[in-house]
């Protein structure tokens, strides 16, 4: 599903965010990405979502080198990827329903299909009764659940999450991780960046560890060189 082959990312000011990163995440696998602040976790996720492009090496999604995708085709690549941000990025002048519906509206789905999918997604995250509420009236954990519902409403095969529990208390963090495991059980591929080692170690999924832009644990990929 996701393969990084000798990937480097240098920003314009010369800072090297990722250095010779190699790993493979199989279809239907769930893994955590950890490391200190500034280790390169967010950059790695941005390369998968084609928000950034690798300076060197290959980022392959289902065998497609996304670094070579034309700018006009990037939105089509992103339709197969759900993205969850730590800061939720909700529209506070829109209801919960409208926030979750936004990706479907952009994709051009009809009104009836949008209603069905939005309510199914809200039901999964336990917020079906809050569809008419505005985000400002929700707790931090509920806002994060709205962000999760929005990310999965298009039924993407892959879900990326950047510190999704960073602002939540331990009990809420465990609830959010249980949701991710439920998505994984039905075949979704998940890569979750988190600094909460105690929590992610208890969940028994693979852990990829970055340090100063290098993958120091969990990412050994003996097949990487054949894609170089």
């Amino acid at each position: 599903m996701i393969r990084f082959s000798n990937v480097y990312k240098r920003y314009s000011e010369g800072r090297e965010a990722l250095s010779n990163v190699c790993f493979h995440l199989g279809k239907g696998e769930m893994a955590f990405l950890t490391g200190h602040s500034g280790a390169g976790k967010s950059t790695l996720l941005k390369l998968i979502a084609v928000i950034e492009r690798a300076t060197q090496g290959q980022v392959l999604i289902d065998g497609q080198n996304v670094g070579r995708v034309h700018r006009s085709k990037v939105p089509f690549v992103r339709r197969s990827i759900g993205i969850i941000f730590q800061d939720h990025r909700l529209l506070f002048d829109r209801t919960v329903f409208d926030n979750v519906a936004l990706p479907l509206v952009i994709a051009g789905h009809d009104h009836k299909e949008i209603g069905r999918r939005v309510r199914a997604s809200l039901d999964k995250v336990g917020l079906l009764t809050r569809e008419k509420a505005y985000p400002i009236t929700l707790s931090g954990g509920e806002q994060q659940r709205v962000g999760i519902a929005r990310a999965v409403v298009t039924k993407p095969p892959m879900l990326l999450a950047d510190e999704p529990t960073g602002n939540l208390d331990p009990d809420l963090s465990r609830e959010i991780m249980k949701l991710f495991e439920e998505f994984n059980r039905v075949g979704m591929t998940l890569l979750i960046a988190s600094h909460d080692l105690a929590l992610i170690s208890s969940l028994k999924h693979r852990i990829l560890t970055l340090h100063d832009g290098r993958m120091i644990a969990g990412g050994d990929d003996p097949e990487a060189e054949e894609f170089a």
Side-chain angles (χ1 to χ4, degrees):
M1 175 65 82
I2 303 170
R3 187 181 294 276
F4 273 50
S5 177
N6 309 108
V7 170
Y8 293 76
K9 174 60 181 178
R10 298 181 190 90
Y11 287 103
S12 56
E13 72 274 16
R15 180 174 65 89
E16 189 166 85
L18 294 175
S19 179
N20 199 29
V21 172
C22 297
F23 76 93
H24 173 241
L25 191 68
K27 184 176 182 179
E29 187 175 357
M30 177 173 171
F32 294 106
L33 179 66
T34 193
H36 60 85
S37 178
K41 301 186 297 296
S42 293
T43 295
L44 188 150
L45 296 181
K46 287 177 181 178
L47 293 182
I48 298 171
V50 208
I51 296 170
E52 297 282 355
R53 307 250 187 172
T55 306
Q56 183 180 331
Q58 294 186 345
V59 178
L60 301 162
I61 308 296
D62 272 344
Q64 180 182 31
N65 185 349
V66 296
R68 295 180 180 173
V69 171
H70 190 273
R71 186 177 299 174
S72 65
K73 301 295 183 183
V74 168
F76 295 97
V77 174
R78 289 185 186 149
R79 286 183 184 179
S80 66
I81 304 171
I83 306 174
I84 299 165
F85 304 96
Q86 181 179 356
D87 60 1
H88 319 309
R89 300 195 184 181
L90 302 178
L91 301 174
F92 280 79
D93 62 340
R94 306 282 183 90
T95 65
V96 165
F97 182 99
D98 289 339
N99 269 276
V100 177
L102 188 59
L104 299 175
V105 173
I106 292 171
H109 290 275
D110 65 58
H111 182 74
K112 185 178 291 187
E113 177 70 3
I114 289 172
R116 185 184 66 79
R117 287 205 186 188
V118 169
R119 291 185 178 99
S121 291
L122 288 174
D123 191 31
K124 285 180 182 177
V125 301
L127 290 176
L128 186 57
T129 62
R130 306 303 303 274
E131 67 172 73
K132 295 181 181 179
Y134 284 84
I136 194 67
T137 67
L138 305 180
S139 68
E142 288 172 330
Q143 289 181 18
Q144 186 61 290
R145 287 173 181 268
V146 175
I148 293 170
R150 181 182 58 192
V152 302
V153 73
T154 58
K155 301 180 181 178
M158 184 193 316
L159 189 64
L160 306 177
D162 192 1
E163 299 285 1
T165 62
N167 296 323
L168 305 179
D169 66 42
D171 288 339
L172 285 173
S173 295
R174 281 190 289 272
E175 287 182 18
I176 295 299
M177 290 303 183
K178 285 180 181 178
L179 268 177
F180 292 149
E181 289 188 312
E182 288 176 16
F183 296 146
N184 180 240
R185 280 194 285 272
V186 296
M188 187 179 286
T189 304
L190 293 93
L191 182 58
I192 303 162
S194 175
H195 66 275
D196 191 343
L197 279 173
L199 175 59
I200 65 178
S201 296
S202 71
L203 296 173
K204 310 303 180 185
H205 295 282
R206 182 176 165 201
I207 298 176
L208 308 171
T209 305
L210 284 170
H211 181 79
D212 291 340
R214 292 182 174 273
M215 190 73 74
I216 62 169
D220 293 335
D221 184 2
E223 299 179 340
E225 292 184 358
E226 75 182 67
F227 293 94

